[in-house]
Amino acid sequence: MSEQESSGVHRRSVLLSAGAAAGALGLGGGNVLQSLGEDTAESAVVEDLFDQTEVLNTACAPNCRGKCPLNVHVRDGQVKFVEPQMTDDEQYRRGCVLGQSHVQRVYSPKRLKYPMVRSDWSPGEPNPEGRGEDATFEQVSWDEALDYVADKMSRVREEYGPESVFFHTGSGDNGMGTTFFGRLASMFGGTQQGWSIDSNVGMGFRRVTGHGYFLPPTNESEDWVNANTIIVWGSDLFKSQFQNDASKVLDAMENGAKLVVVDPVYTTTAAKADLWLPIKPGKDTHLALAMIHEVLAEGIYDQEFLRERSTAGALVREDTEEMLRMSDITGDDDDRVVGIHAETGEPIPLEPDTHAEVELFGRYDIGGISTTTGLTLLEEHVQDYSPEAVADVADLDAEDIRTSARWLATRGPGGIASSYALGRYKYGHVFGQSYAILLALTGDYGRSGTIHAQHPLGASLNSGGYGSPEGAEGAQSLRMHEEPAALENGDPWPIKAIYGMESNMLVNQFPDRQRWQELLKNVDMFAMADIHNTPTVQHADIILPAAHWFEREDITDAWGSHPHISHRTKAHEPLWVARDDYFIIADLAEKLGYDDLFLDDKREELRKIAANDDRIDFDELREKGNVRVDVDVIKYTDPFPTDTGRIELYDEDQPVEDEGTVLDLPRPIEDRTADDHELAEDYPLMFMQKHSKWRIHSQWADNAMVRQINPEPTLDIHPSDATARGIDDGDYVRVYNDRGEVVVRAQYNEGFQPGLINIDQGWWTEDYIHGNLQDLTHMDVNDLAPTFAFYDVRAEVEPAPADIDTSMYTDPGTDDWLDGYPNRGDN
């Protein structure tokens, strides 16, 4: 290890000494605001000020539903002001307080400044026990740091195979960083990360329609104004997605649309609804089945749609429980499914997207084969889920259930804006299957005004074959829930080195946090590139300081948001010795022997990637800042990518979940939300972790301006649950279960129903008085759509121990660090 500038820096950092750092950087704001506010200021002074300011285009692109193009005002080489950028479509000019507070992120004293190597780590003696918040680090040069990384990656490849090097990424930025990273991983032959978060509901939807992975595709939000009924299910989009999606829902409401909100919490969105259904946690599939029951019982289904685009009239054999094929009748290889013609009574094949005048209900004998229509099977299946029966189970009003179903079915186009929240229950995919069927009954596919998810697909850049360069080994993939076995048991192969970027998952966002810390002890090298000193960075062996988004040129797309591709113009060089991820990856590639994998000129590399997408011209993109690309505003206009080319109400594959439930039709399955769950007596409260409008996952958790508004983690608890436990509003409490504990301040909140508690997710470990909310969560996943179940958690609450040290929040002197920021972080 080099002795160059070795300082043995202690790495457990808190938001202290920021004033000195901010002052040294000359943060602007105070003098500007003062000069603009003086009565004696002349217009010439103002004009001169702005004449000296350069306005650059960029984009904010964390994992949120905004992906907003921004203008950055730069004066004297510093970012002074951020505002929404005008797109070529006025309706997408949006921004939020987080995007406009980037100046606090760029100049944060918690930026990673220099490459660092853990003092007690070496390639031959990794000493994994030394990792953690109390580790000390030595500053090294970039060349030394990347030599360490390359050397260890090469050693691991030689001893275990290239797949034992894990290229870990998260969702921290929607620029090209992970695209470059994937190119290197493919050339090296390493393992890349697949997803086990939020991929539950979409997979259930896919069983019916052939579409969906995370959430299913939905019409672009600009079309939502044409919806007449919008059911926002499990999403607080007026709080967390107000940039684009929420504005379009409000436009629809102004045009007369009805808004229904299904949520156990009285959210900002619920407060604006025409009808709020405060469902009991985990009962969403019950409710969807009750709505299907109502639509069928009232005969308000869309017969024409069902005959043209679904298997409602397809016959299902009683003997094999598979759909009847023409081959079963003719003996040839005709695989088309069969229905009964409503006039002739003869069996006819059902073609994709072709109207067939078939019977929707009934039982029929076809050449000695007993059959039943798919819609009849569904109708019989939902008989046990009447609105009255489900109202009792889900703690709802039966007439409210009927009203919701009737509005959806009879008021014209509409839909269900489902959220990822439903997928954070272990068996959330069954809800996806259920509401896909419900929307088929109401005919809400393939027309203007239909909605299928809480956000649209937006625009994704087509990078062509860039990620698979000629001669590449090709990368392997492990989904998140598969990684523990690889780390612990070498199944299907061992993971011995990790290089991570754009992620705070491993030690802060993944469930069962303490287990991940133990698993990382099986790794010989853990390197992290990041902008800030996150909890995950604090467990690395090698720290690589990455440039902020404003310090690098880049391209961002708008997956999950709006139909634009954006360009980022570099506002200034990276501070300290931070580096653009591109150059970190390119230099590492060269040290690994891939001399020609990346160009020396990043702009030309970006141009090369952009050339794969014929919808954009790179030079035009640079000039304009953002370019709208062609996307299908209305989805589901083509035949469905299922075996039949139709929406399949009945699943003849008979998928079976891990506890034995057959899902040919949706059947409610519950884990910890079940009233009789084995943990219910000891841990009677359901524990969730909502998204906060003050963070994007864990980003902005250390932002000075935001922390003035949202200073500490709190527990939302209904007053009745609190008083029963001797807890006053504002008391510090211990939240615990059989897995772990966390200490936070209690906050009475009557918007949460009794029996339900919440700590907003995304706080860093250092923000808690003790513990971490992810110490209470688990990694149990289902079989059919393995997804981490962050909301399927039980807990109990009690007053915090009397000797617990709360001074980090109760000592009034602890916010002195804000003094160095202009207006104490307000600007």
Side-chain angles (χ1 to χ4, degrees):
M1 178 136 345
S2 168
E3 295 182 359
Q4 174 189 355
E5 298 185 69
S6 174
S7 58
V9 179
H10 191 283
R11 166 170 85 164
R12 179 169 174 79
S13 62
V14 294
L15 293 174
L16 300 174
S17 303
L25 288 166
L27 282 177
N31 293 336
V32 173
L33 293 175
Q34 182 179 359
S35 65
L36 291 178
E38 290 175 354
D39 294 336
T40 58
E42 298 180 2
S43 60
V45 175
V46 176
E47 291 173 5
D48 182 62
L49 170 65
F50 283 98
D51 283 344
Q52 298 173 36
T53 299
E54 186 177 13
V55 181
L56 306 175
N57 58 60
T58 186
C60 186
N63 188 7
C64 73
R65 301 283 76 81
K67 311 289 197 309
C68 301
L70 300 175
N71 283 335
V72 173
H73 294 245
V74 179
R75 183 165 50 83
D76 298 331
Q78 296 174 13
V79 175
K80 299 295 184 178
F81 178 65
V82 181
E83 65 178 347
Q85 180 188 149
M86 179 62 73
T87 66
D88 62 0
D89 190 335
E90 169 66 21
Q91 66 180 322
Y92 288 114
R93 186 175 191 256
R94 294 288 184 270
C96 75
V97 68
L98 299 182
Q100 293 176 87
S101 70
H102 269 295
V103 65
Q104 305 286 347
R105 300 191 78 201
V106 177
Y107 304 122
S108 169
K110 297 193 72 175
R111 283 280 302 270
L112 296 175
K113 302 173 180 64
Y114 310 102
M116 308 283 282
V117 177
R118 181 160 57 90
S119 302
D120 56 357
W121 178 87
S122 68
E125 296 186 18
N127 185 29
E129 298 290 339
R131 294 191 184 114
E133 298 167 355
D134 296 324
T136 58
F137 282 72
E138 296 179 6
Q139 181 178 326
V140 296
S141 69
W142 270 107
D143 198 48
E144 288 175 286
L146 292 178
D147 276 342
Y148 279 127
V149 176
D151 178 66
K152 192 60 186 180
M153 289 172 65
S154 299
R155 289 172 183 244
V156 168
R157 176 171 54 189
E158 183 175 333
E159 184 173 354
Y160 298 97
E163 65 275 8
S164 292
V165 175
F166 183 41
F167 290 76
H168 168 69
T169 58
S171 58
D173 182 25
N174 218 52
M176 293 295 104
T178 54
T179 303
F180 302 134
F181 204 45
R183 183 176 173 88
L184 176 58
S186 181
M187 180 60 73
F188 186 87
T191 295
Q192 290 188 277
Q193 181 163 274
W195 223 250
S196 299
I197 295 176
D198 296 340
S199 55
N200 206 342
V201 172
M203 292 300 288
F205 199 94
R206 176 187 287 265
R207 290 205 297 271
V208 178
T209 68
H211 290 282
Y213 181 78
F214 293 104
L215 291 178
T218 190
N219 292 4
E220 294 300 311
S221 61
E222 65 195 66
D223 179 65
W224 293 7
V225 68
N226 299 310
N228 293 332
T229 302
I230 301 174
I231 301 178
V232 174
W233 205 313
S235 172
D236 191 8
L237 56 79
F238 285 180
K239 183 175 182 179
S240 63
Q241 295 168 221
F242 49 83
Q243 299 97 318
N244 292 312
D245 305 347
S247 67
K248 306 305 184 289
V249 173
L250 291 171
D251 289 344
M253 293 175 69
E254 287 186 5
N255 280 358
K258 295 290 188 182
L259 175 63
V260 179
V261 172
V262 181
D263 203 302
V265 181
Y266 187 64
T267 62
T268 302
T269 311
K272 304 298 182 184
D274 295 287
L275 180 61
W276 172 44
L277 277 63
I279 191 169
K280 192 174 181 180
K283 313 302 180 187
D284 302 278
T285 299
H286 290 83
L287 176 57
L289 292 173
M291 294 174 73
I292 291 173
H293 179 285
E294 177 66 13
V295 170
L296 291 172
E298 294 293 325
I300 50 179
Y301 46 87
D302 188 329
Q303 298 184 43
E304 295 305 304
F305 180 88
L306 291 174
R307 288 189 170 101
E308 182 173 330
R309 306 201 70 193
S310 84
T311 60
L315 300 175
V316 179
R317 299 177 55 142
E318 291 185 10
D319 54 355
T320 65
E321 298 184 328
E322 296 177 347
M323 285 187 279
L324 185 72
R325 260 64 180 191
M326 286 298 294
S327 58
D328 296 328
I329 301 172
T330 63
D332 58 19
D333 58 358
D334 190 342
D335 199 40
R336 291 175 295 176
V337 296
V338 176
I340 292 294
H341 196 282
E343 293 182 1
T344 68
E346 295 298 317
I348 59 171
L350 304 184
E351 302 281 1
D353 280 3
T354 304
H355 180 81
E357 194 61 38
V358 292
E359 297 284 2
L360 295 177
F361 297 94
R363 286 183 163 80
Y364 303 91
D365 187 282
I366 309 296
I369 302 174
S370 298
T371 66
T372 309
T373 70
L375 194 58
T376 296
L377 293 176
L378 178 64
E379 182 183 49
E380 293 173 350
H381 175 64
V382 298
Q383 289 308 302
D384 293 335
Y385 300 96
S386 67
E388 285 78 13
V390 169
D392 186 55
V393 171
D395 201 16
L396 296 172
D397 181 84
E399 193 55 38
D400 287 346
I401 298 174
R402 288 195 174 89
T403 298
S404 301
R406 289 169 183 162
W407 283 353
L408 182 64
T410 65
R411 301 188 74 252
I416 295 172
S418 176
S419 80
Y420 297 112
L422 284 307
R424 292 175 188 140
Y425 296 107
K426 185 175 179 181
Y427 300 106
H429 63 86
V430 188
F431 171 76
Q433 179 186 12
S434 304
Y435 93 91
I437 292 172
L438 173 59
L439 291 178
L441 295 180
T442 60
D444 283 310
Y445 289 88
R447 57 178 176 163
S448 178
T450 60
I451 299 174
H452 306 85
Q454 69 171 356
H455 65 81
L457 289 179
S460 294
L461 182 72
N462 178 15
S463 61
Y466 179 82
S468 301
E470 184 177 352
E473 292 270 349
Q476 306 296 318
S477 179
L478 283 178
R479 292 182 65 183
M480 295 163 175
H481 71 281
E482 298 171 322
E483 292 164 18
L487 287 163
E488 193 168 44
N489 306 315
D491 179 21
W493 53 78
I495 297 296
K496 302 304 292 183
I498 299 175
Y499 178 13
M501 64 177 290
E502 299 181 3
S503 175
N504 188 21
M505 289 180 173
L506 286 171
V507 186
N508 201 77
Q509 296 297 99
F510 276 170
D512 201 353
R513 180 184 70 103
Q514 294 188 37
R515 186 182 177 199
W516 284 100
Q517 292 182 67
E518 287 299 312
L519 290 169
L520 288 174
K521 293 179 180 179
N522 297 307
V523 174
D524 293 337
M525 182 200 72
F526 179 21
M528 277 297 302
D530 208 314
I531 302 172
H532 296 99
N533 189 25
T534 70
T536 298
V537 167
Q538 291 170 16
H539 283 75
D541 303 314
I542 302 170
I543 300 173
L544 307 174
H548 183 273
W549 306 338
F550 293 176
E551 298 170 338
R552 60 190 192 222
E553 183 176 7
D554 209 346
I555 299 173
T556 72
D557 57 18
W559 177 88
S561 185
H562 55 84
H564 290 82
I565 306 295
S566 296
H567 177 265
R568 285 177 175 157
T569 302
K570 184 192 291 187
H572 57 59
E573 291 299 321
L575 297 178
W576 296 284
V577 296
R579 299 189 71 198
D580 186 325
D581 278 312
Y582 173 77
F583 294 108
I584 302 174
I585 295 167
D587 282 0
L588 178 59
E590 187 173 346
K591 289 179 180 293
L592 290 168
Y594 310 126
D595 294 345
D596 301 322
L597 191 59
F598 300 101
L599 300 173
D600 292 336
D601 188 331
K602 182 184 180 182
R603 179 174 297 169
E604 291 308 306
E605 195 79 19
L606 292 173
R607 188 187 302 277
K608 183 167 67 175
I609 295 175
N612 291 297
D613 195 325
D614 58 12
R615 300 171 300 172
I616 64 171
D617 176 80
F618 182 67
D619 291 323
E620 178 189 14
L621 179 65
R622 286 189 62 229
E623 179 183 352
K624 290 185 175 180
N626 63 86
V627 174
R628 178 166 179 145
V629 296
D630 291 333
V631 299
D632 294 329
V633 173
I634 298 174
K635 309 301 195 240
Y636 306 104
T637 57
D638 297 325
F640 291 90
T642 60
D643 290 342
T644 64
R646 291 168 168 254
I647 295 174
E648 298 183 353
L649 306 187
Y650 173 85
D651 191 343
E652 65 179 352
D653 291 336
Q654 305 278 320
V656 180
E657 246 309 344
D658 55 11
E659 47 73 77
T661 301
V662 180
L663 294 171
D664 52 342
L665 293 165
R667 292 176 171 84
I669 315 174
E670 291 187 65
D671 187 40
R672 287 165 171 81
T673 59
D675 294 336
D676 60 352
H677 191 272
E678 62 183 5
L679 296 175
E681 184 174 347
D682 292 334
Y683 307 107
L685 302 173
M686 291 306 304
F687 175 68
M688 65 189 299
Q689 43 178 299
K690 288 175 86 275
H691 285 261
S692 169
K693 66 181 177 182
W694 304 118
R695 286 177 300 284
I696 306 300
H697 296 296
S698 70
Q699 293 191 69
W700 279 268
D702 65 335
N703 185 283
M705 185 177 78
V706 173
R707 285 296 289 271
Q708 287 220 89
I709 305 167
N710 186 223
E712 67 177 299
T714 57
L715 177 78
D716 292 298
I717 184 169
H718 193 275
S720 64
D721 287 330
T723 55
R725 292 163 172 79
I727 298 167
D728 290 331
D729 190 18
D731 284 355
Y732 281 95
V733 295
R734 173 178 176 255
V735 188
Y736 66 96
N737 60 16
D738 56 327
R739 311 193 65 80
E741 62 185 6
V742 62
V743 173
V744 294
R745 191 192 297 269
Q747 176 177 280
Y748 283 9
N749 191 335
E750 294 188 51
F752 283 77
Q753 58 186 251
L756 179 63
I757 55 175
N758 169 73
I759 299 174
D760 287 349
Q761 67 103 10
W763 292 100
W764 294 2
T765 302
E766 64 192 40
D767 298 322
Y768 294 105
I769 302 244
H770 173 73
N772 186 301
L773 70 82
Q774 301 298 4
D775 292 341
L776 281 71
T777 50
H778 57 82
M779 283 194 279
D780 297 351
V781 297
N782 64 57
D783 273 358
L784 295 179
T787 310
F788 291 146
F790 291 99
Y791 288 6
D792 233 328
V793 177
R794 284 190 171 272
E796 181 57 288
V797 180
E798 65 182 15
D803 60 349
I804 199 80
D805 182 7
T806 64
S807 61
M808 61 188 291
Y809 294 120
T810 56
D811 181 352
T814 56
D815 68 349
D816 289 345
W817 61 273
L818 289 169
D819 288 339
Y821 280 96
N823 299 321
R824 293 174 57 81
D826 282 338
N827 74 311

